[in-house]
Amino acid sequence: MVSSTFSFALSIFFLNSFALSLNSIITDKHALISFRNSITSDPNAILSTNWSQNTSVCNWIGVSCGLKHRRVTALNLSGYDLAGTAAPHLGNLTFLRYLDISFNNFSGFLPFELSKLRRLKVMNVGANSFTGEMPTCGSIPREIGRLSYLRELHLGYNDGFQGGVPTEIGNLSRLEILNIDNASLTRDIPSSIFNISFLTQLSLRDNGLSGSIPTLLNLPRIEVLYLGNNKLRGIGSGQ
Ligand SMILES: *[C@@H]1O[C@H](CO)[C@@H](O)[C@H](O)[C@H]1NC(C)=O
Ligand SMILES: *[C@@H]1O[C@H](CO)[C@@H](O)[C@H](O)[C@H]1NC(C)=O
Ligand SMILES: *[C@@H]1O[C@H](CO)[C@@H](O)[C@H](O)[C@H]1NC(C)=O
Ligand SMILES: *[C@@H]1O[C@H](CO)[C@@H](O)[C@H](O)[C@H]1NC(C)=O
Ligand SMILES: *[C@@H]1O[C@H](CO)[C@@H](O)[C@H](O)[C@H]1NC(C)=O
Ligand SMILES: *[C@@H]1O[C@H](CO)[C@@H](O)[C@H](O)[C@H]1NC(C)=O
Ligand SMILES: *[C@@H]1O[C@H](CO)[C@@H](O)[C@H](O)[C@H]1NC(C)=O
Ligand SMILES: *[C@@H]1O[C@H](CO)[C@@H](O)[C@H](O)[C@H]1NC(C)=O
């Protein structure tokens, strides 16, 4: 009796964990299908032919899964000439560490839901047509500051993130690379940016940023500092 109760409990446990993991990979698949559905132009038919419902998402072009849990850990569709919007469902890829959709023609706002990707180490959405105002909801939400594992953030070469750099980027304490070149930024650079001690590359060229650089920089590892072609006071342009 005791043992049958125990095995019953055990089977419920396995059933639950099975349902849970099934649910999870289904969530990943659902997220990727929604992402694909928001793409309006795929000239090389990469996604329409390869992202087949019948095969595991882990075999799809640009998708990588973790060995242990078989969850999606990387999405790299850099340079496929894709156009459309970035579906908010991307925020459901809970295990994502690398997101690279650079060198395409994605437009509209960067979905706020990307800030749910807590395990993200690299976000590269540069060289697209993203627009919107940075500090408010829409383009770069303030919540981006919650991505505490982020090491690389590339937002540059987009049509325009009018507005300033969100102060919350200063919360990304592990950030090593920050690039927001040529993205129509205005206002002062928040001093919190000059306080990210892991930064090795900081590049904010070709914007309309104003204000001056604080005299106290906490950038002990900095190797590349590009702030040229802005409206800054108190620093030479260029390197
Ligand atoms: C999709 O592309 C991957 C990588 O090139 C390949 O291994 C896979 O077989 C392709 N799947 C389909 C359904 O074409
Ligand atoms: C996918 O599987 C269904 C049935 O399981 C089959 O009818 C369909 O032809 C398959 N599609 C592809 C692209 O293999
Ligand atoms: C994505 O793929 C491109 C081309 O293969 C590569 O250069 C880039 O480093 C990759 N991005 C990430 C985040 O791994
Ligand atoms: C995923 O994200 C979308 C939009 O952010 C949401 O509507 C959906 O319910 C989420 N959950 C699942 C399990 O797909
Ligand atoms: C990118 O998309 C926008 C509209 O979303 C369009 O106006 C523009 O021509 C596209 N650019 C390229 C290079 O395809
Ligand atoms: C940024 O960090 C401060 C203090 O550590 C915290 O109060 C704030 O909520 C954080 N903001 C975000 C968006 O994570
Ligand atoms: C900035 O990007 C635009 C395209 O969005 C391009 O036409 C322009 O030449 C770039 N400016 C610089 C200084 O790189
Ligand atoms: C810089 O970081 C220190 C500690 O890491 C913190 O006390 C201080 O408030 C930060 N300054 C700015 C301007 O973010």
Side-chain angles (χ1 to χ4, degrees):
M1 182 59 202
V2 170
S3 94
S4 79
T5 309
F6 178 72
S7 70
F8 175 72
L10 208 65
S11 69
I12 292 283
F13 173 77
F14 279 118
L15 213 63
N16 269 341
S17 57
F18 177 69
L20 219 66
S21 70
L22 192 69
N23 184 42
S24 318
I25 192 70
I26 284 176
T27 304
D28 286 0
K29 185 171 189 174
H30 182 243
L32 291 171
I33 296 282
S34 303
F35 173 71
R36 186 187 68 184
N37 291 345
S38 67
I39 287 170
T40 52
S41 176
D42 174 14
N44 304 311
I46 298 293
L47 306 189
S48 53
T49 57
N50 188 272
W51 283 27
S52 156
Q53 296 268 8
N54 287 9
T55 57
S56 160
V57 298
C58 301
N59 296 329
W60 291 1
I61 277 180
V63 177
S64 310
C65 294
L67 290 175
K68 214 160 82 183
H69 301 295
R70 303 304 288 168
R71 299 292 306 270
V72 174
T73 54
L75 179 63
N76 187 346
L77 295 169
S78 177
Y80 283 110
D81 289 331
L82 303 171
T85 56
H89 299 75
L90 283 177
N92 292 348
L93 295 171
T94 315
F95 285 81
L96 203 66
R97 291 174 198 276
Y98 302 92
L99 173 64
D100 190 343
I101 54 169
S102 61
F103 296 97
N104 285 292
N105 192 19
F106 285 100
S107 52
F109 290 167
L110 270 183
F112 153 87
E113 286 78 3
L114 292 181
S115 62
K116 296 198 299 186
L117 299 172
R118 298 297 160 79
R119 292 180 173 84
L120 210 58
K121 289 183 178 170
V122 174
M123 185 194 296
N124 191 344
V125 301
N128 278 290
S129 298
F130 285 113
T131 51
E133 174 145 352
M134 275 244 190
T136 59
C137 59
S139 246
I140 307 300
R142 288 174 187 280
E143 286 74 10
I144 206 159
R146 291 191 196 138
L147 300 174
S148 52
Y149 291 102
L150 210 58
R151 294 189 311 216
E152 293 185 28
L153 181 59
H154 305 261
L155 303 165
Y157 306 99
N158 276 290
D159 266 7
F161 286 127
Q162 304 89 16
V165 180
T167 312
E168 285 76 5
I169 284 184
N171 278 27
L172 302 172
S173 57
R174 294 184 188 158
L175 207 59
E176 295 166 19
I177 300 178
L178 176 63
N179 181 310
I180 328 184
D181 290 342
N182 195 0
S184 312
L185 295 172
T186 56
R187 302 187 196 149
D188 294 3
I189 305 174
S191 52
S192 62
I193 301 289
F194 301 104
N195 204 17
I196 307 175
S197 61
F198 281 96
L199 271 185
T200 58
Q201 300 180 25
L202 173 60
S203 195
L204 302 169
R205 284 178 293 198
D206 305 320
N207 285 292
L209 295 164
S210 52
S212 54
I213 308 305
T215 45
L216 236 116
L217 300 188
N218 180 24
L219 301 174
R221 293 175 179 81
I222 201 76
E223 291 163 9
V224 171
L225 180 63
Y226 292 141
L227 302 170
N229 201 16
N230 279 292
K231 295 170 185 159
L232 297 166
R233 282 177 281 113
I235 190 159
S237 64
Q239 200 162 335

